[in-house]
Structures are given as structure tokens and as C-alpha cells.
Amino acid sequence: MKLSILDQCPIFHRQTAKDALYEALKLAQQAEQLGYARYWVAEHHDLPGLACPAPEVMLAFIGAHTSKIRIGAGAILLPHYKPYKVAELFNMLATLFPNRIDLGIGRAPGGSAEATNALSDRFLQQVWDMPKHITELLLYLDNEAYAEHDFSSLSASPVPEISPVPWLLGTSKKSAMLAAEKGLAYNFGLFMSDKDVQECVELYKNRFRPRKEGEKRQLLLTVSVICAHTKAEAEGIAMRSLQFSSQKVDTSQKELEAKKENMVIGDPVFVKEKLQKLVEQFQADEVMIVTNTDNPLDRLQSFQLLANECFVN
């Protein structure tokens, strides 16, 4: 089973944002040593408890302190930005770190209405225009001309020998169809929604059209996981984590229980079996894991235990 990591860069108890970003580096380095396939970092804006608004900056930092693990954004929130600038950023990363860069694309605001308005004008219109912007972004990444575009002569330099691999992230039938139509790898955020999963997966698989000859569809499921030595220990870590996060964002007990239900919590054997069942159920190529705890040691332990069970046993 192929496993990867999504890091939201949580600010742990009694830590600063700087501490959190260095904890992210530790996690990426550990992921590389343990054998995880890729490490992605998320984009959030002015959200309490999360430290990274700029994945492209964090990826340069992490890339310079790792050597082989694939690194990427999960995701760059495209409605906030011009496709050309995004292509420039990730082409530069791909030039610095050859054959290691993933460009995950999303359309969520990633923060409050105030942050959204501060970042971009006409956000909803930009969301509506997302298919057009993805087409433009892909042309820049492929270094191809776009005759109908005002900037058809531009190159998103530096042009790397191996382009970043584009992914679309989503939780809906709309995102599944868009990924299929554009020939993109698709990451379904199971940790954010467990509704219509089968239908989304089938839509993606049935409607997928390769962007380039020989390319195959790729389906990745992102799952929230807490792994510990025992089920009881994992349950305790999960509850402390949820209570810690609820202090920063107003969350009801009912909402906490709903979040817990959408997590995989248990000892290494149980977690491995649960993830394998998800892979088999949805015929996924890979599982990406997000683990948020109230302290960094529990998070590192969770990934260590799971790696020992999945990659060694």
C-alpha cells in the first residue's frame, strides 16, 4: 500500500508559528526516512492554529533539507492567483528539485471571508472560471502556445526538464468530473467529506481522458488518521486533539463527534486494515494521511507506527 502525508502545519500547544513550521520540516524528513511516497503542505489564510499560508515558500525550505521524497502543495488555491504566476513558482521548484514536485490545485477559499477579500477580487467569479484557468495553467506547465490567449508568447520560466505533476483536489462530483475532463490526477479529501465518494470515484474513472499519450489516471484518498500503540491510547490522543482544535475555532460537541467519526483511529494493525479496505473499496492508487494532534510527539509516533506496520510487516 502506497502512503503519503498531508501536513496542515498545525501550531501545537505552547508553540509559535515558527516552531510549527520547523515541526513540519521534521515530519517531512521523517517521512522520507520511513518510506512515505510524498509530503504535501496545505494552504490556509489567517486560520487559528495553522501556520502556512504559502506552500511554495515551505516547499523550497523542505526541498532544500530533503533529498528524494516527492513534495507538493495540497493545495494551491487557484482562484486567488493568476495561472501564470503559479506556473512560474512551481516550474522554479521543479528546476531546483527535479522530478520531485507535485502541484495540487484547489478552489476553496482557505480562510475567512475577510481573508478571501483581502487576497483576491471577484473570488466567486474566479471559482466559476476555474476550468479555464486550469487549462491556461496546464499550457504554461507544458510550455505550449495558446493562440487564443493574450499572453501566448510567454514562457513560465525557468522551464524544468521534468514538469511539476498537476493534481486536482476536491470532495464533489464537480471536482471529479473536472479532473477527469482535464486528464489530471485526482485527490479526494475523504477527511473533509464522506458523501458521494463512490459516485465521485466512478465519475472520475469513467470520464477520465488522458492529457498526454500514455498517461494513466491516478486516484488518491486523503484520510484523517490517529495511530498509537493501543486503541485506547489512540482514542485519547484523538479526543485531546479535537478538544484542542475546538478551543481555537468555535465547535460544538456534536461537531466534534462527527469529526471523530470521519477519522481512522486505532493501533497499527487496525489502521492498516482500515486503510487497505478503503483502497480496495474505491480502487485507489494511494492513501494520503493527515494527522493533527495536540503535540508533535504523538504525531511523529503515529506516522512511525503506521510505517512500521505497512512498510515492514
Side-chain angles (χ1 to χ4, degrees):
M1 180 167 51
K2 193 173 181 181
L3 298 179
S4 294
I5 294 175
L6 172 64
D7 191 356
Q8 296 179 318
C9 295
I11 302 173
F12 296 100
H13 184 53
R14 294 180 179 174
Q15 284 196 340
T16 65
K18 180 180 179 180
D19 293 331
L21 296 176
Y22 275 85
E23 289 294 345
L25 173 60
K26 285 183 189 176
L27 178 57
Q29 292 173 324
Q30 185 196 43
E32 181 170 80
Q33 294 168 2
L34 291 173
Y36 284 89
R38 63 187 94 230
Y39 166 93
W40 287 4
V41 63
E43 174 183 341
H44 295 96
H45 299 282
D46 195 35
L47 283 186
L50 301 179
C52 182
E56 66 276 13
V57 175
M58 198 64 198
L59 292 176
F61 178 55
I62 288 169
H65 291 86
T66 53
S67 60
K68 60 184 180 181
I69 191 171
R70 292 196 68 86
I71 56 176
I76 291 293
L77 305 178
L78 192 57
H80 290 316
Y81 312 110
K82 291 282 192 177
Y84 181 65
K85 182 59 177 177
V86 174
E88 282 187 320
L89 290 171
F90 278 79
N91 272 356
M92 187 164 181
L93 287 168
T95 300
L96 290 168
F97 312 112
N99 201 26
R100 293 182 59 197
I101 301 299
D102 295 326
L103 170 52
I105 305 161
R107 61 180 168 197
S112 66
E114 290 84 357
T116 298
N117 290 335
L119 280 164
S120 54
D121 297 324
R122 303 184 302 115
F123 177 79
L124 293 178
Q125 181 61 47
Q126 296 297 93
V127 170
W128 179 263
D129 290 337
M130 185 92 161
K132 180 178 70 175
H133 293 322
I134 289 177
T135 296
E136 183 181 344
L137 174 62
L138 294 176
L139 287 165
Y140 288 135
L141 293 178
D142 294 337
N143 200 28
E144 295 179 356
Y146 186 13
E148 292 81 14
H149 199 279
D150 292 342
F151 310 120
S152 59
S153 63
L154 282 176
S155 174
S157 59
V159 178
E161 291 185 11
I162 301 175
S163 297
V165 176
W167 290 72
L168 186 66
L169 282 67
T171 58
S172 67
K173 289 178 279 188
K174 191 170 184 178
S175 64
M177 290 173 62
L178 184 58
E181 290 167 2
K182 300 294 183 181
L184 298 174
Y186 183 48
N187 182 331
F188 187 91
L190 200 61
F191 75 107
M192 294 188 292
S193 174
D194 59 357
K195 297 178 180 178
D196 303 321
V197 185
Q198 192 66 56
E199 191 171 356
C200 290
V201 168
E202 292 303 319
L203 274 172
Y204 173 65
K205 291 183 175 180
N206 293 335
R207 300 197 182 193
F208 180 82
R209 298 191 306 235
R211 191 164 63 90
K212 297 179 181 178
E213 187 176 350
E215 284 190 343
K216 297 180 180 179
R217 66 194 182 204
Q218 293 187 73
L219 174 65
L220 190 158
L221 300 176
T222 301
V223 183
S224 180
V225 172
I226 300 288
C227 185
H229 291 286
T230 66
K231 173 78 169 175
E233 183 186 352
E235 289 280 354
I237 293 170
M239 187 50 66
R240 290 197 303 273
S241 171
L242 290 169
Q243 289 171 342
F244 177 65
S245 63
S246 70
Q247 295 171 7
K248 299 183 177 184
V249 180
D250 189 20
T251 309
S252 68
Q253 186 61 36
K254 185 176 179 180
E255 289 172 320
L256 287 180
E257 290 298 328
K259 286 184 178 181
K260 188 179 174 185
E261 286 297 317
N262 211 25
M263 299 168 68
V264 177
I265 303 168
D267 61 78
V269 173
F270 173 83
V271 172
K272 178 183 178 180
E273 290 176 351
K274 185 70 173 178
L275 296 181
Q276 284 179 326
K277 286 179 182 178
L278 288 172
V279 168
E280 293 166 5
Q281 180 181 354
F282 300 112
Q283 292 297 294
D285 300 293
E286 187 175 338
V287 175
M288 180 165 274
I289 296 165
V290 56
T291 298
N292 289 332
T293 61
D294 66 335
N295 72 76
L297 294 179
D298 284 338
R299 183 170 74 155
L300 291 175
Q301 174 187 260
S302 182
F303 285 113
Q304 174 82 60
L305 290 172
L306 187 55
N308 290 345
E309 183 63 33
C310 293
F311 303 151
V312 179
N313 297 332

